[in-house]
Amino acid sequence: MSTTADPVALGVGLGASAPPGADEAVVAKTSTTVANVIAKTVAVISNAVSTGATSSSTPTYSTTTTSSTPTPTPTPIQSLPPSLEDAEQKLSVKDLSQALQHFGIVDYLVFIAMLAVCAVIGFYFGFIEKKQKKQKLAKKDGGGAAGVEERRGSEALDYLVGGRQMKVFPVALSLVASFVSGISLLGTSTEIYVYGTQYAFILVTLAISGAISWYIFLPVFCNLQLTSTYEYFELRFNKSVRLLSSAFFTIANLIWLPIVIYVPALAFNQVTGINIHVITPIVCLVCIFYTTAGGLKAVVWTDVIQTVIMIGAVIFVIIKGTLDVGGLGVVFQRNFDSGRIEWPELTFDPKVRMSMFALMVGYVGHNTYQFGCNQMITQRYMSLPGVKQMAHTSFVFIVGLTLLFALCLYNGLLLFATYYDCDPLTTKLASAKDQLVPLLVIQSMSSFPGVPGLFVAGVFSAALSSLSTGMNSLSAVFLEDYIKPLAKKPLTEHQTGVTLRLCTVIIGVVSVALVFVVERMSSHVLQLGMSIGSVVQGPLLGLFTMGLLCPSINSKSAITGSLVAFFFMGWLSITAQIAINSGEMHSPEKPVSIEGCDYEFDRSLVSPANVTLLGAETPSLSFAEQLYHISFLFYTVMGGTVGVIAGHLAGFIFGRNKAGDVEDDLLSPCIRRFQKSRYTSVSLHENSIRSSNEKS
C-alpha cells in the first residue's frame, strides 16, 4: 500500500474558544484554573457538537487572511448564549488541542477489545486448531488421504499459505485490508483536503491495474504454485537473481512497515495525547503475537475482523459528519467553491504532481506491481486451492478496494466542508496533515461514547493487517530464499516452525524501531511511501517484466538492469526527499481560510511570503533537477523502465537467449502465444528451405 501521508488539519470547524462556564459565580472569579476551563469546554463541545454550522455565505479562501473577518458560520462554541461567550477570553489553540484529546473509558475498552480479539484468533490458530489437526491426522490410517493431508499440513505450508485451503471471501477481505493500510485510510482523505480531487481518478485505474496483473503476471505464479514469488527468478534466471530480488523485497518492506505503524500512532496521539513511541510497541506486540502464533490463517481472519471494523468506522464518521455540516449538497458546494472539485489535469508534463497522465501511466504501473508481483499479495493467492478461486478472489478484491477508496475520497471532501473557514493546519490545532481525520472524528463523534475508539481501532486495524501481512511475507522470503538455500541439510518440521516464528519476531521489532526514522521525514505519508518504496519496487518491476515478457534477456543482463535501476531510483528518491525537506520543491495546495476561527492562535505563523512560495513555479531547471521534480506517481514505472532498457543494452555485452532457451511455463501467456507463432513460422521457413535444397 500507499502515499501522501500525515493527517494534516484536524477540524477547525470544531472550533472553540468560548469559555464554557455555566456558573456565573465561578466565571467571575479570576482564580479559575485552566483545568476547569478545559474540562467545561469539553462538556460544551460534547453537548453542542451536533449544532454545527451551515451558512450559505462562502468565506474568502486564503492561507493568510488576517484582516477583517466576515461573519463566520457559527461553530458549536459560537452558538453559545452571549452570557457564556463573553464570560471569559477565548481559549488558546494549545488549550483547545488538549481539550480535544478526549478518549473516554468506553473508547479505550473498544480499542482494547479489538486487540484482544486479534490475540484470541492468533491463539486459536496457533494452538487449539493446530492441536485438533494433529489429533485428526493421528486417527487416519493408510497412506493415501493421510499422505495428502500431511503434505498440505506441513509446517511451512500451513504457516505461510494456510495449507492452500483458504476460502475466497476471507482472502479477498484480507487483500483489501493488507492493501489499504493506515497510510491509505488517512492519507487519501488528506490528499483531497490539501490538493483537491485529482487523486480521486485513481478509481478508474484500479480495475485497469487489476486486469493487467491478472492476465500478465499472476497466471505464471498461480500455475507454478510458489511459496515465495522470488523462487520464480531461480527458475527463469539463476540463484543470484533470486537472492537479489529477495534483498530488494526485504529492503522495500523494512522501509514501508515503519510508515504503516507510524500513521495510526499519529491518529492515536491526536485523540489521546499518548506519545507515539509508547503506543506503537504495545500495539505491535499484539500483532507480533498473533502473527507468530497463528501464521497466515490468523493473519487472514484477523484481517477479516479488522476490515469490518475499518469500513464500519469510516461509514459511521461519514454519515454523522455529513449530517453535521448540513447534507451532501453543502459538502459538494463548499468544495466546489474552493476549487477542490475539478476536472482531471490533462497534461503530458511529468512534473505535474497529479495529472491523468501520471495516474494512467505511473499509478497504473505502480499498482500493477502491487497486485501482480508483490509477495504480500501473491502469497494470499497461493493460499487458495485453485485458479478459479484465485480469479473470484481477484474480482472481489478490486471491487472492495474501489468501494473503500471511494469512501476515503469522500471523507476528504467532508474534511474540507467541516473546516472550510478555519484551517487546523494553519492554526496548528493539527500538528500534522495525517491528524485531520482523527480531529474530525473527535469533533463529530464526541457525543457517541465508543465511536472515537472504534475509529482509532479501525485505523490501527488497517495498520496491523498490513504489518502482519508484511511480517508473514518476509518470514516466507527469509525461509525460502535465504535460510533453506544456505542450510547444509534440510530443516525438520520443528526447526522450520521455530525459524519462521523467530524471523517474524525480529522483523516486527526492527519495524517498530525504525518508526524513529520515519518520524523525522517531512513528506506527506502517501507521497513518502510511494517515493521511498519505489527505490526497490521499480527494479523489481523491471526484473519481473524482463523475466515474464522478455525471453531474450539472460541472467547477467537482468542483474545489470536491476542494479542500474536501483542506483538510479535511489539517487532520484533521496534527492527528491532532500529537496522537499529543504523547501526547494513545493506542490501547489488548495486555498484555505482562517476567517471563521474562534480560538486564539499565533497569527505570526501565517505569512504572505510562505503562501507565495507554496504555489511558486520553479524557474529554469537543469536536466538532473527536471528528473527529480517528476511526479512521485511515475517513480515505480521509471525504475522498471530503466531496468528493462539497461537489461536490453547489457545484452550487447552478455549476449542473449535463443528461441526455446526459456520454458513456456516461465513466460506470460501473451508472450507464449507470440513465441509459439514465431517458432512455428521459423520452423516452416526452415522446412521449406530444406525441401527446396533436396529438390535441387
Side-chain angles (χ1 to χ4, degrees):
M1 278 169 160
S2 269
T3 56
T4 308
D6 311 26
V8 187
L10 299 177
V12 171
L14 175 57
S17 51
D23 190 339
E24 293 182 1
V26 175
V27 171
K29 295 181 180 180
T30 58
S31 59
T32 302
T33 62
V34 174
N36 288 334
V37 174
I38 295 174
K40 293 175 184 178
T41 302
V42 174
V44 173
I45 292 172
S46 299
N47 293 329
V49 69
S50 60
T51 65
T54 55
S55 172
S56 58
S57 61
T58 304
T60 302
Y61 295 105
S62 171
T63 341
T64 61
T65 305
T66 58
S67 57
S68 61
T69 311
T71 304
T73 301
T75 58
I77 293 295
Q78 294 169 326
S79 302
L80 295 176
S83 60
L84 294 181
E85 275 192 3
D86 299 332
E88 291 181 7
Q89 294 181 349
K90 292 181 179 181
L91 287 178
S92 68
V93 67
K94 181 179 179 181
D95 292 337
L96 180 58
S97 178
Q98 292 174 349
L100 292 177
Q101 291 176 346
H102 181 66
F103 211 60
I105 295 177
V106 178
D107 298 307
Y108 279 109
L109 290 176
V110 170
F111 182 71
I112 293 171
M114 181 272 292
L115 296 177
V117 169
C118 294
V120 168
I121 291 174
F123 181 83
Y124 172 78
F125 284 107
F127 299 98
I128 299 176
E129 195 256 2
K130 188 175 181 180
K131 183 178 179 180
Q132 293 174 347
K133 190 171 184 178
K134 286 183 177 179
Q135 291 175 348
K136 289 181 180 179
L137 188 62
K139 293 179 181 179
K140 289 183 178 289
D141 296 323
V148 174
E149 186 69 23
E150 187 171 3
R151 176 181 62 81
R152 288 198 165 195
S154 67
E155 188 68 33
L157 275 178
D158 206 46
Y159 188 86
L160 298 175
V161 291
R164 305 196 195 279
Q165 293 177 304
M166 301 299 292
K167 304 298 182 184
V168 169
F169 192 68
V171 171
L173 288 185
S174 177
L175 287 169
V176 172
S178 301
F179 192 85
V180 182
S181 63
I183 297 173
S184 301
L185 201 61
L186 299 181
T188 301
S189 300
T190 303
E191 172 73 23
I192 301 300
Y193 180 91
V194 177
Y195 298 106
T197 57
Q198 289 294 332
Y199 190 65
F201 296 100
I202 63 165
L203 297 179
V204 180
T205 69
L206 293 176
I208 298 173
S209 302
I212 293 173
S213 62
W214 178 251
Y215 286 105
I216 293 181
F217 295 99
L218 286 173
V220 177
F221 305 137
C222 294
N223 291 331
L224 294 175
Q225 290 287 293
L226 305 174
T227 302
S228 168
T229 310
Y230 308 106
E231 294 178 61
Y232 165 80
F233 290 118
E234 185 171 358
L235 299 174
R236 170 64 175 85
F237 297 113
N238 57 28
K239 187 175 292 186
S240 298
V241 180
R242 174 181 177 178
L243 290 175
L244 179 63
S245 61
S246 300
F248 283 155
F249 176 75
T250 302
I251 295 171
N253 276 271
L254 291 180
I255 292 172
W256 181 68
L257 290 179
I259 302 175
V260 166
I261 302 169
Y262 173 70
V263 173
L266 272 179
F268 196 82
N269 170 261
Q270 175 67 27
V271 299
T272 66
I274 297 177
N275 189 286
I276 62 173
H277 299 300
V278 174
I279 189 61
T280 49
I282 296 173
V283 174
C284 292
L285 185 63
V286 176
C287 183
I288 291 170
F289 167 74
Y290 72 73
T291 307
T292 303
L296 184 79
K297 290 181 180 178
V299 171
V300 168
W301 284 106
T302 53
D303 283 353
V304 172
I305 301 297
Q306 291 162 353
T307 303
V308 172
I309 295 173
M310 179 170 56
I311 295 176
V314 173
I315 291 176
F316 205 105
V317 170
I318 284 176
I319 293 175
K320 180 61 167 59
T322 302
L323 293 175
D324 285 346
V325 300
L328 282 171
V330 176
V331 172
F332 285 103
Q333 186 62 48
R334 289 178 179 175
N335 280 274
F336 183 80
D337 291 340
S338 71
R340 276 170 173 75
I341 296 179
E342 53 192 347
W343 290 103
E345 184 77 23
L346 301 177
T347 176
F348 289 103
D349 184 359
K351 296 190 296 300
V352 175
R353 183 179 180 276
M354 198 73 62
S355 65
M356 280 304 292
F357 177 53
L359 289 171
M360 296 303 295
V361 176
Y363 199 74
V364 166
H366 173 77
N367 277 344
T368 297
Y369 165 79
Q370 296 291 350
F371 294 165
C373 306
N374 193 332
Q375 168 71 18
M376 292 168 47
I377 301 295
T378 58
Q379 189 174 338
R380 297 295 182 281
Y381 285 118
M382 295 304 104
S383 68
L384 295 161
V387 175
K388 182 179 179 181
Q389 290 82 358
M390 294 176 188
H392 293 165
T393 300
S394 179
F395 177 78
V396 176
F397 166 48
I398 297 299
V399 172
L401 196 61
T402 303
L403 293 176
L404 186 53
F405 266 118
L407 291 175
C408 293
L409 292 166
Y410 175 78
N411 197 39
L413 297 176
L414 178 61
L415 273 177
F416 180 76
T418 304
Y419 304 124
Y420 76 107
D421 60 353
C422 188
D423 175 41
L425 293 175
T426 303
T427 64
K428 302 303 179 184
L429 182 60
S431 58
K433 293 178 180 179
D434 295 322
Q435 290 178 331
L436 281 172
V437 178
L439 185 61
L440 175 66
V441 173
I442 291 299
Q443 172 191 349
S444 60
M445 299 297 175
S446 58
S447 58
F448 294 88
V451 176
L454 178 67
F455 175 79
V456 173
V459 175
F460 259 109
S461 293
L464 292 182
S465 64
S466 301
L467 178 61
S468 61
T469 300
M471 291 190 296
N472 189 258
S473 299
L474 272 176
S475 63
V477 170
F478 279 22
L479 177 70
E480 298 293 337
D481 299 336
Y482 301 146
I483 297 172
K484 280 186 175 181
L486 297 176
K488 295 181 179 179
K489 57 181 180 179
L491 299 176
T492 63
E493 291 293 305
H494 177 71
Q495 290 174 331
T496 300
V498 172
T499 301
L500 285 170
R501 287 164 174 81
L502 184 61
C503 289
T504 302
V505 172
I506 293 173
I507 294 163
V509 171
V510 171
S511 299
V512 173
L514 289 175
V515 171
F516 287 93
V517 179
V518 174
E519 186 180 16
R520 283 155 179 78
M521 299 286 189
S522 65
S523 291
H524 179 36
V525 290
L526 182 60
Q527 180 170 344
L528 178 65
M530 286 186 65
S531 59
I532 299 299
S534 65
V535 174
V536 287
Q537 291 173 358
L540 279 174
L541 177 61
L543 269 177
F544 279 110
T545 303
M546 287 186 280
L548 292 163
L549 301 177
C550 306
S552 64
I553 293 181
N554 57 30
S555 58
K556 292 182 179 179
S557 298
I559 291 175
T560 302
S562 60
L563 288 176
V564 169
F566 174 73
F567 288 116
F568 171 75
M569 293 309 302
W571 168 81
L572 184 72
S573 299
I574 294 173
T575 306
Q577 186 63 38
I578 292 173
I580 292 172
N581 291 346
S582 66
E584 177 187 342
M585 288 177 61
H586 303 278
S587 298
E589 299 179 1
K590 293 299 180 182
V592 292
S593 173
I594 54 172
E595 294 178 355
C597 298
D598 52 5
Y599 53 86
E600 294 295 335
F601 61 92
D602 187 357
R603 292 180 179 267
S604 66
L605 298 174
V606 184
S607 87
N610 290 339
V611 178
T612 303
L613 269 178
L614 187 64
E617 291 291 334
T618 306
S620 59
L621 302 174
S622 66
F623 177 73
E625 290 173 331
Q626 293 273 2
L627 286 177
Y628 67 75
H629 277 73
I630 289 176
S631 170
F632 69 95
L633 293 177
F634 286 107
Y635 281 11
T636 300
V637 171
M638 286 177 64
T641 303
V642 169
V644 173
I645 293 174
H648 276 293
L649 293 177
F652 291 106
I653 301 174
F654 300 114
R656 303 180 186 277
N657 291 328
K658 298 179 181 178
D661 287 351
V662 181
E663 296 181 13
D664 287 346
D665 290 343
L666 302 178
L667 298 174
S668 179
C670 59
I671 298 299
R672 292 177 201 167
R673 289 192 290 270
F674 175 75
Q675 284 283 96
K676 287 181 180 179
S677 61
R678 182 182 177 187
Y679 180 78
T680 302
S681 62
V682 170
S683 299
L684 290 173
H685 181 64
E686 290 178 348
N687 290 334
S688 63
I689 293 176
R690 188 180 300 109
S691 61
S692 63
N693 289 336
E694 289 176 355
K695 290 180 181 179
S696 61

